[in-house]
Structure formats: structure tokens, C-alpha cells
Amino acid sequence: MKLILKEYLASLRERGDLDKSVLPNLLAEIGLNVLNTPMIGTRQNGVDIAAVGKVKGEDIERFLYLFCIKAGNVTRSDWEGNPQSVRPELNEIRDVYLNANVAKEHADLPVKICLCCGGEIEETVLMNWAGYTKQHTTDKIHYERWNGDRLADLMMRSLLARELLDEGPRGDFQKAVAMVNEPGACYEYTSAFLRGLLLDAQELPEKAQLLRLRQAYICINAITAWALEAKNLESIYKVSELGMLLCWHVVRKSLPEDKKPTKFHRSLHALMDQFVKLHLTCSELYLAKTAFAHAHKRHALSVAVRSREAVDVNLAMFELLGRVAIRGIWTATLALNQAESDSEFAQAMAESTQRSLDVIVELINNNPTLHSPFKDDHMIEIALVMYLAQLTDSVPRFVPWLTSVGEKTTFALLLNSNYPTAHRDYVDLLNHPASNDDEYRSEACSGSILYPYLFVWLANTGTEEEKFGFCERLKEMLPNCTYQAWLPDEDTEELIWQGETYHGVCVTDLSPQNGLNEVAKMLNLAIDNCPDINSISAVRFGLVPMFLAACRHYRLPIPPHFWFTSS
């Protein structure tokens, strides 16, 4: 375990990884109160992180800890040569920070100035370090080296110690790291590790909850770092999204809605923020190499699936479509939430949202398979795209696509060619359609969430001819299909974040043959009588993307509350 952690620490970048992700969590867990973390664009006066307190099991008295952080190994060229080198920053701490930046309540504390790196201080620098620290050590100012070995020891002792990280989660974590080259195995072991660590964390005392979340975050960071090094982008996306959802499962009950937040609440909020940022970072890395880079090229992404089977291409392309859409929903929501408090950030999020919209249009135009979903639950991806379109007033860009999907999926029934099926097993999908018999078609399409969704949109945006043809083809080919929708119930909030799918309310009798008025009446009645969407924690806290991400991740239908929200 220590070797794994040392390799992980050595691979971290200074900005954004070691100083903002790993070290603050570690310092909090070993007994220090973190006073500040680095901000880009502001003068640090040599100090990347300041903390105060006693390191558990080491310090007898309280110290003011000042960390100068460097990524990887500290080499001869890192020691001196430019203002960001080690020696100039150590001088700045002594000459500027200690004289101008220390708060009154900490002014009388002894000081420890720590040179911190994820790797090692190389032998060519050790003599310089020894001479410098001997010259400047006083009764009040002390110097320490915090290299990768010390950080790994502290993590083993305080975050990932044997008695804190049980044998089951520890073994699954090590297996996940070992299998970073295999997306499926890496995800399964990570899922087992996270569930063993987090599913019962809600019942623990506050400190234990924070410890479990920090353990999970550090380990997910390690897994994604190695998966990225192994160029396994699939794993970094799925693992980071799963971590975010399970983290929310822990923090959702403890976040205050009306009462004043405590230190514990602020720590929970900060950890949740880190999980979301990690997933959005992994999402950006994944999409930068896939959709963002190649969506504009005709068939490029479809060919990249490298399969002769049409079903493989279809599944992969709809998966990609859903990931671009959910990222756009995240950035659009963040832009709206931060419009007043941080206009610069909101503008950046709005630009990212526009990029996602443009890429979705390119994906659809350059990969015709996206007009012909093979699975009925591809309604999820289609609904996410249209929800994003409504958030951004971009519906007209996607109406032709919806019309095309409605036409092709129903004509596929007439042709007995890859029409959407309720089957989810890969072998069943590979052999679909296995027969032209009415009996087989009735079984393969025993229920549908896709066709009611398409009908609602066609009835509102399509022509009478398009709507009539759509309904007539369904009437002829699927007379016994149960057209339905899913809504959350009172159990959904407790179960959805951990991946349970046996909850919610199924509304039937949404047949397009009944007409829009009757379908709309049934949907509105269901929405009025099933108000449990309002008890979903993510919805209450303004994090609708979290709920939609859970639906997509665990393959639950998008509820009708998010179908057609335009007036």
C-alpha cells in the first residue's frame, strides 16, 4: 500500500492536485486546522498552504505550519534560478510572510516551515537544504522535509491505516489500482471499495464521516491518476462519477437547509465540492479526447468503436451522447447558479455549455446511428439532450433530430430491423431482432419509455402528418405494448444514490393512440399525485444535474418533470 501511495504522490502536479486536493485533506485528518489553500493569480509570499495545530502523535505544542509545495522530485534546477524556485520562496516566507501575513492569534506560536513534495529531495539538493536550514533555524523557526515517503506514512497512519481502512475495502482498492488497464474490472473493484467505505458512513459520528469521505477521495484520486497514465479514459469517467454519487449519498442528510452551518457542515460542503470538481475534470479529459476532438468528422467516432457489430456502435455512440449532454447540463446549471456571485466563472461555464451543444449537433449529424436507438432506454440520453436544449433555449436545433428518431424507430418496426427493444442483455441485443413473429416483437417491446417521450415532443413540435404516421405505425406493429413513464417515490431518495433501481412509480396507459390531451392528462395527474421529486435532496439543493447523472449512471428513466418544460 505504501509503495502504491508513494508512486501516486510522485505523479501529482503541484497546482490543483497536491496542494488543493491531497494535502489539505491529509492535514485536516492529522490534527491541523488549514488556514488557507493557494489561489491562482494571487501573491502567496512563498506559502502554498498555512495550517495551525498539533500533528497527532508527534507535536507536544501547537505550531504554525507553512508549506512550500513542489511537484514530483526537487532537483538542483528547482532549488534556485527563478522566483518560483525553492530558495527564493523560503526567503520570502521568512522575510515577508512571517512579518506581514500572520494573524495576531498565531503570532506567538513557534513556526515550522515545511518543504513539501510528492517525490524526493534529490541528493544534489540535500546539502543546500541542510546548509540553508542550519543557517536560518532559530528558537522560534524550524524547518522540516515532507517528501513522498513522509506523506505516504501520514496517509497510512491517519487516512488509510489498517485499523481505519478495513481489509475488504483495502483489498478492493488495491485490485482497482492493479486493474486500471481494464475499464470493467477497475470500475467493479472501485465500486466495491467505495460501497464498503461509504454506504454505512451516514450512521457514523461526524469525525468518522469526514474520515471516510477523505479516504474515498484520496483513493479515487489515486485510481484516476493511474488510469489516466494508462490512458484508460473510460475508467476515470465512470469512477469519478460513481464517487460523486456515493459521496452525495453520505452528505445529503447532513447538509443544513435552514439552520446556520457548522464547521462540520462546511467540511462536508468542501468535500462534496471536491468530488464534483474531480468528476468535471475527468469528464473534460474524457471528452477532450473523444467527442470534443472528433465529433466534427463524418463517422470518425463510429469507426473508432472498432466493431463490425452495429449494436456496439449504437451503444457506444449513445453512451457518448449522454455524457456530453450531462456535462452540458452541469455547466449550464453552474452558470445559472453563479451568474450573480461570480460573473467570470459563470461566463466560462456558459461558453463550455455552448461547446457541448455544438458538439452534440455535430455528433448527431456525423453519426447517423444516433437517429436509430437500438435500446428503449436510450430515451435517457435523448431526454438529457432535450433538457439541455430547454435550459439553453436551443430546442429548434434538435427538433429535426427528434422527428427523425420518431420516424426511423417506427419504420424499423415495419422493416423488422433493429427497432428499439426493452432487452438489456448484450447477447439479446446482438441477436435482435431474432424473429419476425408478432409474438417475439410483443416480448421485445413489452413496455416502452421511449415512444411516449417521443410522442409528447412530436405532438408539440411536429406536423400533423408526422404525428399521424408515428401513431399509426405503433398501432399496427405494437398493439399490446405498455407505454409508460417512471416517477420517483418516497423510497427513491434513500436508494437512488447507491444504485438501487427497485423503487419509484410506473405510470402506464400513455399510448400515443389516446392522443396528446389524454397522455398529457395522465402525466399531469401522475406528477400531481407523486410529489416525491420535491423530496429528492439534489433537487432541493439546486443540484438537478446530480439527480439526472444518477438516472443516467444507473439506467433509470428520466421522469416526466424534465420532459417538456417549455411553456
Side-chain angles (χ1 to χ4, degrees):
M1 176 73 87
K2 184 175 179 180
L3 179 61
I4 290 174
L5 291 174
K6 285 182 67 176
E7 291 177 356
Y8 161 61
L9 290 165
S11 71
L12 294 179
R13 295 174 290 116
E14 173 190 358
R15 282 286 179 261
D17 284 345
L18 188 57
D19 56 358
K20 286 189 177 181
S21 300
V22 175
L23 197 56
N25 284 316
L26 179 59
L27 296 178
E29 202 54 48
I30 62 176
L32 300 182
N33 179 26
V34 178
L35 302 177
N36 70 280
T37 54
M39 297 180 63
I40 296 175
T42 61
R43 182 171 177 179
Q44 305 295 136
N45 294 327
V47 175
D48 293 301
I49 294 178
V52 66
K54 297 188 288 187
V55 174
K56 295 175 185 175
E58 294 184 7
D59 295 334
I60 299 175
E61 58 180 327
R62 295 174 79 236
F63 284 88
L64 174 63
Y65 279 87
L66 305 176
F67 290 90
C68 173
I69 302 173
K70 298 298 174 186
N73 294 334
V74 176
T75 65
R76 181 80 176 176
S77 60
D78 296 318
W79 176 255
E80 195 168 15
N82 63 70
Q84 283 73 47
S85 298
V86 173
R87 184 185 176 102
E89 290 196 348
L90 294 177
N91 288 336
E92 201 166 6
I93 294 173
R94 186 168 45 85
D95 298 337
V96 182
Y97 191 94
L98 289 176
N99 292 315
N101 291 76
V102 179
K104 286 185 178 180
E105 62 266 30
H106 304 140
D108 295 330
L109 291 176
V111 178
K112 285 189 179 182
I113 299 174
C114 305
L115 174 57
C116 180
C117 63
E120 301 291 339
I121 300 176
E122 294 188 355
E123 190 174 351
T124 54
V125 183
L126 284 177
M127 291 185 66
N128 299 80
W129 168 256
Y132 184 92
T133 55
K134 182 178 181 180
Q135 181 181 354
H136 296 292
T137 296
T138 66
D139 291 339
K140 184 177 181 180
I141 300 175
H142 310 270
Y143 290 85
E144 289 187 355
R145 279 187 298 156
W146 286 44
N147 58 11
D149 196 66
R150 173 160 171 74
L151 292 177
D153 273 334
L154 289 172
M155 291 171 85
M156 289 286 292
R157 191 174 79 202
S158 300
L159 273 170
L160 304 173
R162 187 178 189 90
E163 63 272 16
L164 294 177
L165 193 60
D166 294 334
E167 185 176 352
R170 184 174 68 253
D172 287 324
F173 166 63
Q174 291 171 323
K175 290 173 185 176
V177 170
M179 299 298 290
V180 290
N181 285 308
E182 298 292 334
C186 182
Y187 176 81
E188 290 301 323
Y189 286 126
T190 302
S191 176
F193 156 70
L194 289 173
R195 292 173 189 280
L197 199 61
L198 296 180
L199 286 189
D200 64 345
Q202 285 179 319
E203 313 303 323
L204 300 176
E206 292 180 353
K207 287 186 177 180
Q209 285 188 45
L210 292 175
L211 172 62
R212 292 284 186 93
L213 288 168
R214 287 175 181 137
Q215 289 174 328
Y217 182 76
I218 293 294
C219 290
I220 290 178
N221 246 304
I223 293 168
T224 55
W226 278 307
L228 187 61
E229 186 176 335
K231 299 181 180 180
N232 181 359
L233 298 175
E234 179 72 14
S235 284
I236 70 168
Y237 185 94
K238 293 182 68 175
V239 162
S240 63
E241 186 173 58
L242 178 65
M244 176 183 69
L245 296 175
L246 291 177
C247 174
W248 183 257
H249 174 69
V250 177
V251 308
R252 61 193 168 86
K253 285 188 176 180
S254 300
L255 291 177
E257 295 189 62
D258 300 319
K259 58 184 180 180
K260 186 177 180 181
T262 64
K263 180 180 178 182
F264 169 65
H265 296 137
R266 289 192 292 272
S267 296
L268 280 180
H269 187 277
L271 280 164
M272 188 68 239
D273 191 50
Q274 288 179 338
F275 274 92
V276 172
K277 286 180 178 177
L278 175 63
H279 174 59
L280 291 179
T281 299
C282 290
S283 169
E284 176 71 22
L285 291 169
Y286 171 84
L287 294 174
K289 293 288 188 180
T290 53
F292 294 164
H294 304 292
H296 63 286
K297 303 171 188 174
R298 185 74 171 172
H299 299 300
L301 289 165
S302 296
V303 172
V305 178
R306 295 183 179 179
S307 174
R308 296 180 180 179
E309 299 294 341
V311 66
D312 292 330
V313 177
N314 192 261
L315 295 178
M317 294 311 301
F318 269 96
E319 180 72 21
L320 183 59
L321 180 70
R323 291 178 181 183
V324 180
I326 199 66
R327 179 175 176 81
I329 293 170
W330 268 112
T331 54
T333 303
L334 291 173
L336 290 172
N337 291 347
Q338 300 294 322
E340 295 183 5
S341 59
D342 191 340
S343 58
E344 188 175 340
F345 174 78
Q347 179 62 29
M349 291 296 96
E351 291 173 359
S352 179
T353 304
Q354 188 59 48
R355 178 180 59 168
S356 295
L357 283 167
D358 294 340
V359 166
I360 289 172
V361 172
E362 291 175 335
L363 271 174
I364 291 169
N365 290 340
N366 291 317
N367 298 276
T369 190
L370 289 174
H371 292 251
S372 303
F374 285 14
K375 289 173 64 183
D376 189 74
D377 72 359
H378 282 154
M379 170 269 187
I380 299 169
E381 284 72 29
I382 295 171
L384 290 176
V385 170
M386 295 311 298
Y387 181 71
L388 174 60
Q390 293 174 89
L391 280 181
T392 55
D393 296 323
S394 304
V395 168
R397 299 182 72 180
F398 298 97
V399 168
W401 171 57
L402 273 183
T403 303
S404 175
V405 172
E407 183 178 287
K408 290 183 182 300
T409 52
T410 49
F411 269 112
L413 289 166
L414 297 176
L415 300 173
N416 194 46
S417 174
N418 295 123
Y419 51 84
T421 174
H423 292 317
R424 294 192 179 188
D425 184 78
Y426 178 73
V427 175
D428 291 336
L429 292 171
L430 199 61
N431 295 323
H432 175 73
S435 170
N436 194 27
D437 296 340
D438 291 344
E439 184 179 349
Y440 170 82
R441 188 166 55 251
S442 295
E443 180 187 353
C445 301
S446 55
S448 176
I449 56 174
L450 174 64
Y451 290 124
Y453 180 83
L454 293 174
F455 172 71
V456 170
W457 273 98
L458 283 174
N460 280 279
T461 62
T463 65
E464 285 299 320
E465 182 182 355
E466 290 165 346
K467 184 173 67 172
F468 177 79
F470 178 82
C471 294
E472 284 299 303
R473 289 188 289 273
L474 289 181
K475 181 179 179 181
E476 176 185 352
M477 303 305 297
L478 298 178
N480 300 316
C481 179
T482 303
Y483 300 99
Q484 55 196 295
W486 176 85
L487 295 88
D489 67 3
E490 59 186 9
D491 297 324
T492 298
E493 166 63 11
E494 194 63 37
L495 299 176
I496 187 172
W497 311 111
Q498 53 187 306
E500 296 289 342
T501 56
Y502 291 98
H503 53 86
V505 175
C506 180
V507 179
T508 59
D509 202 20
L510 299 178
S511 174
Q513 283 81 51
N514 295 337
L516 177 61
N517 290 337
E518 188 63 28
V519 170
K521 178 182 176 181
M522 291 297 297
L523 288 173
N524 289 330
L525 184 64
I527 290 172
D528 291 340
N529 289 314
C530 301
D532 295 291
I533 188 72
N534 300 314
S535 65
I536 301 295
S537 54
V539 176
R540 293 201 319 272
F541 283 97
L543 289 174
V544 170
M546 186 80 72
F547 174 69
L548 296 178
C551 289
R552 194 199 67 83
H553 191 95
Y554 297 123
R555 307 310 295 168
L556 285 167
I558 305 299
H561 311 76
F562 306 98
W563 283 18
F564 194 87
T565 60
S566 299
S567 58

